[in-house]
Amino acid sequence: MLKHYKKAVIGLFMMVFSHIAIAGEVEVLHWWTSAGEVRALNALKLLLVEQGHSWKDFSVAGGGGDNAMAVLRSRLLSGVPPTAAHGKGGHIKEWGKLGLLANLDQIADEQNWPEILPTFVNELMKYNGQYVAVPVNIHRINWLWVNAPLLQQANVAVPTTIEAFWQAADKLKKAGIIPLAHGDQPWQNSILFEMLLLGMTDSHFFKKAFIDFDAMSLSSEKIVNVFAALRKLKQYMDPDIANRDWDDATHMVIQGKAAMQIMGDWAKGEFTAVNKQLGKDVLCLPVPSTDKHYSYVIDSFIMFKITDAENKQAQIALAKQMLNKNFQQVFNLSKGSIPARQDMNMDAFDICAKESVKAVQTVGNGNVLPNISIGMATSIYTQTAIAEVVTHFFRNDTISPEQAAKQLVNAVKASL
């Protein structure tokens, strides 16, 4: 894979030097601070800097992006938007309501976005029928990452169902191995809740509860059972989970301190950064009982209206390069995701990426589901409300699953 990465980087240089542009500055807000994420973002910086533009990095730490979105909201309400901001589907709608987004229709026409992007990706880049954001990838969230040698050491089979997961976790715990690496942050807790929900229900229920926000579904016995499972899951974690970043949890799996982690495929960038062999040292498989679902997050860059002519040219250059095939390959090889373009050759990609492409193509449109926990399915307000209820329950053992379900209904209703 390193050979393919080097070739693609050389291709980026060749592409860059073939362009001459008016120099401008782009200020880009994002929350990518882990090793794999930084490496991926540097490929984009390279394109702009080598075209004569300058890149003003505006990184706000926090894996789920909550901190970054709070900063962005403050900037927008103060009338000083950045050139572009890393965001998700729900975020695009939120900022679109404020009338602050740039029109990218001309770029979309030039690059034929309706043809090169999957339909669900293409539509998410629009607000009121107008393109306002550029996708750089597709992340699958429902991944279980497994330290294969640890499971072999404990004579534990890789679990593919929730029932098998509980059995595996019990055996690992008895063997003195932490079954699940996790960080007690609201967005990470929300991911666990959502993955249990997918494994214990179905796509129809997911949509009724968290797309349509049907009160009967949100307060149903199924939701109560998911909360109960979340509490059970906590007993398979170590006691030092408070405010642990996701990549620190990933490194517990890398270092053999924990057997498994439930996390989106950006975790893969951490494994490959330390030369762990996917499919051998580290296994990737759908979260138990979710193999018929594809929970996705699309990293996109939302473009804001700016007035400076040179900076606007830099913004256009930035937008155009994001869907270049060479960049899509370099970026996604580093980030752990798969390209947003559906016409890419995947030979350079690893086994997990190839499985991700296969899954998004085969699970069926009705089972390709926007993720709740990282802003694809909801507004920022509803996303936050769900995470707060889940985290309050996760941290407080005196709250019953039934009480948590009632709190969830009220919180979602208040956020809409």
Side-chain angles (χ1 to χ4, degrees), residues 90 93 197 204-219 223 370-373 375-386 408-416:
K93 294 178 183 177
L197 173 72
H204 176 74
F205 180 82
F206 176 91
K207 292 172 185 175
K208 285 285 288 182
F210 291 101
I211 303 296
D212 300 336
F213 301 116
D214 175 64
M216 291 289 288
S217 299
L218 283 169
S219 60
I223 294 293
N371 184 267
I372 305 164
S373 311
M376 287 307 303
T378 68
S379 71
I380 295 169
Y381 308 107
T382 305
Q383 171 193 345
T384 301
I386 293 169
L408 184 65
V409 175
N410 294 333
V412 168
K413 184 179 179 181
S415 72
L416 297 176

Side-chain angles (χ1 to χ4, degrees), residues 371-401:
N371 184 267
I372 305 164
S373 311
I374 315 183
M376 287 307 303
T378 68
S379 71
I380 295 169
Y381 308 107
T382 305
Q383 171 193 345
T384 301
I386 293 169
E388 286 178 349
V389 170
V390 168
T391 296
H392 188 49
F393 171 80
F394 185 79
R395 294 174 179 173
N396 190 340
D397 290 343
T398 67
I399 301 172
S400 71

Side-chain angles (χ1 to χ4, degrees), residues 126-319:
K126 299 178 183 178
Y127 181 75
N128 282 347
Q130 173 182 299
Y131 288 100
V132 295
V134 191
V136 290
N137 62 6
I138 303 171
H139 278 296
R140 189 181 193 184
I141 310 305
N142 54 314
W143 282 115
L144 179 71
W145 304 96
V146 178
N147 182 311
L150 272 187
L151 261 65
Q152 292 169 1
Q153 174 187 320
N155 195 28
V156 173
V158 177
T160 58
T161 66
I162 289 180
E163 292 74 18
F165 178 86
W166 300 134
Q167 294 170 8
D170 282 333
K171 289 181 180 179
L172 288 164
K173 193 173 181 179
K174 287 178 183 177
I177 298 169
I178 298 168
L180 189 70
H182 180 62
D184 179 7
Q185 296 174 336
W187 72 277
Q188 293 190 62
N189 297 334
S190 186
I191 282 180
L192 293 187
F193 177 84
E194 186 172 359
M195 295 305 102
L196 289 168
L197 173 72
L198 286 180
M200 296 171 68
T201 62
D202 55 34
S203 297
H204 176 74
F205 180 82
F206 176 91
K207 292 172 185 175
K208 285 285 288 182
F210 291 101
I211 303 296
D212 300 336
F213 301 116
D214 175 64
M216 291 289 288
S217 299
L218 283 169
S219 60
S220 68
E221 189 68 20
K222 290 181 178 180
I223 294 293
V224 172
N225 291 339
V226 173
F227 274 112
L230 180 64
R231 177 151 291 158
K232 181 177 181 179
L233 193 62
K234 187 178 179 180
Q235 69 179 304
Y236 298 114
M237 304 169 189
D238 68 284
D240 300 320
I241 58 176
N243 205 36
R244 176 186 287 148
D245 288 332
W246 70 268
D247 49 329
D248 290 331
T250 303
H251 280 268
M252 291 177 65
V253 179
I254 290 172
Q255 296 161 8
K257 295 179 180 178
M260 298 176 283
Q261 181 186 21
I262 293 172
M263 186 52 61
D265 52 16
W266 50 85
K268 187 174 58 176
E270 302 306 297
F271 296 121
T272 57
V274 293
N275 298 315
K276 290 293 181 181
Q277 187 175 344
L278 298 168
K280 182 180 179 181
D281 302 321
V282 178
L283 308 180
C284 55
L285 62 151
V287 171
S289 294
T290 72
D291 56 300
K292 298 296 190 293
H293 299 100
Y294 193 102
S295 175
Y296 71 84
V297 162
I298 300 167
D299 282 313
S300 55
F301 282 87
I302 307 167
M303 300 292 170
F304 295 96
K305 291 179 181 176
I306 53 178
T307 55
D308 182 272
E310 292 184 354
N311 290 349
K312 194 165 186 176
Q313 287 301 311
Q315 182 187 61
I316 291 170
L318 177 69

